[in-house]
Amino acid sequence: MRPILEKVRPPPGASWAWLDRRLEDAIPFQWHHHPEFELTLTLNSRGQRFVGDHIGAYDDLDLVLVGPNLPHTWASTAKVRPEAPHMAKVMWFHPDWARRLTGVLVELKPVEALLNRAVRGLSFSPVAAAAVRPAVERLFAQPPADRVTSLIDILRQLSADTNVIPLATSGAQSSGPSVDQTRMDRVLDHIHLNYADALRLDDLSEIAALSPSGLQRLFARHIGTTLSDYLKRLRIGEASALLAATRRPIAHLASDVGYESLANFNRQFKAVHGVTPRAYRRQFARIG
């Protein structure tokens, strides 16, 4: 799908923007991008996170910094506490805003390095997220002058996280010709609606009005990975969210996301996450 350009406007008297988002039902899939950096702390929510070509599970206390124009979205599958809403505390700031700060204040050179790495999207460690959570939550109740210094201090603290994980394989890509983008839209729409089914390259090529080899080249150029790897990560991402949020038997869960062979599912899941599905689920059982 083509990411929607989101317009971010700071409120009067502020140089950056923020949103304290609370959703009772779900965090919807809204594939979008914007010129600003985005720092998002997601609370009381589990589901899938999409950043560039990254597809992975997220859980409570998910803290991510997304670079300028990098397409992204979160899509929830469950709440941690059913009685409370899904919460996303979002902070947007323009690269020019950050450049002026780091260019003048040599003390913020670590922040400059952090922002340079964020072009691929960064997922911060649970320890770092827990450490800045109180400051993030206070920030939304502060007056503008205090709020801006709080944001700078949060970024400074996060720049010291040695366990931060890059997400996408590359930064934002400039879009190709409109006809190619339209073809990609059709293919990605079909994949996201039917990923649990047996998807054939010939059928996807017909949707794109290209030869199979032409579709594979177009997909690699626009998405930065192969079609089969994208489909694998989409399926494993959905399985990860289900493992974290449900007790559904693993064999049934594997079938739900498109795997006829449990052995193949286990093998591909471990290749992505480094652990078996059973071990992955145990991690969330300890957290709960």
Side-chain angles (χ1 to χ4, degrees):
M1 292 175 290
R2 178 182 299 172
I4 296 170
L5 175 62
E6 182 177 64
K7 297 292 186 180
V8 177
R9 293 184 176 87
S15 58
W16 59 284
W18 57 89
L19 176 65
D20 194 357
R21 194 181 192 196
R22 296 167 182 263
L23 297 167
E24 290 295 337
D25 295 330
I27 297 176
F29 183 96
Q30 296 175 328
W31 189 233
H32 67 284
H33 69 107
H34 40 71
E36 293 79 11
F37 286 96
E38 178 182 312
L39 179 64
T40 296
L41 175 65
T42 307
L43 301 168
N44 197 48
S45 186
R46 291 174 174 142
Q48 284 183 270
R49 185 203 309 122
F50 302 78
V51 179
D53 62 356
H54 159 82
I55 304 170
Y58 76 88
D59 202 83
D60 190 32
L61 199 60
D62 181 66
L63 183 60
V64 168
L65 179 61
V66 177
N69 288 313
L70 184 62
H72 59 280
T73 189
W74 280 247
S76 63
T77 57
K79 298 176 182 178
V80 178
R81 292 178 291 115
E83 71 278 5
H86 299 270
M87 291 177 282
K89 298 183 179 295
V90 189
M91 294 145 276
W92 296 282
F93 52 94
H94 198 275
D96 291 342
W97 179 92
R99 197 175 298 115
R100 286 193 293 269
L101 284 173
T102 58
V104 172
L105 302 174
V106 295
E107 294 88 350
L108 295 183
K109 287 301 179 184
V111 173
E112 181 179 33
L114 176 74
L115 298 180
N116 288 338
R117 288 187 290 155
V119 295
R120 296 171 54 191
L122 297 173
S123 175
F124 294 98
S125 67
V127 172
V132 301
R133 176 178 178 173
V136 171
E137 292 181 323
R138 286 195 304 270
L139 178 149
F140 287 84
Q142 292 175 325
D146 293 336
R147 195 175 283 150
V148 70
T149 56
S150 293
L151 175 60
I152 293 169
D153 193 53
I154 288 166
L155 292 172
R156 183 190 58 77
Q157 290 183 63
L158 292 177
S159 68
D161 184 9
T162 58
N163 294 311
V164 66
I165 299 172
L167 297 176
T169 56
S170 63
Q173 303 291 322
S174 58
S175 58
S178 59
V179 64
D180 284 350
Q181 187 62 62
T182 300
R183 286 170 168 158
M184 285 301 306
D185 288 349
R186 294 199 303 265
V187 171
L188 289 172
D189 281 344
H190 186 80
I191 289 173
H192 277 264
L193 287 172
N194 302 282
Y195 68 87
D197 299 331
L199 296 176
R200 298 175 60 249
L201 178 59
D202 287 346
D203 294 335
L204 294 174
S205 301
E206 186 174 340
I207 291 170
L210 289 169
S211 67
S213 60
L215 173 59
Q216 289 174 320
R217 287 194 299 270
L218 179 68
F219 200 93
R221 187 164 67 247
H222 277 253
I223 306 300
T225 188
T226 64
L227 197 157
S228 60
D229 188 62
Y230 185 88
L231 179 59
K232 177 187 74 175
R233 289 183 177 275
L234 179 60
R235 287 170 169 167
I236 295 300
E238 176 62 17
S240 302
L242 293 172
L243 284 165
T246 75
R247 305 310 300 169
R248 186 164 175 75
I250 291 175
H252 295 177
L253 185 150
S255 177
D256 289 345
V257 300
Y259 286 92
E260 296 182 1
S261 165
L262 179 59
N264 186 35
F265 170 70
N266 287 334
R267 182 168 56 252
Q268 291 198 8
F269 191 97
K270 189 171 183 179
V272 171
H273 287 296
V275 296
T276 65
R278 192 175 304 278
Y280 185 88
R281 172 174 272 171
R282 282 200 298 267
Q283 296 173 358
F284 289 94
R286 288 196 296 272
I287 293 171

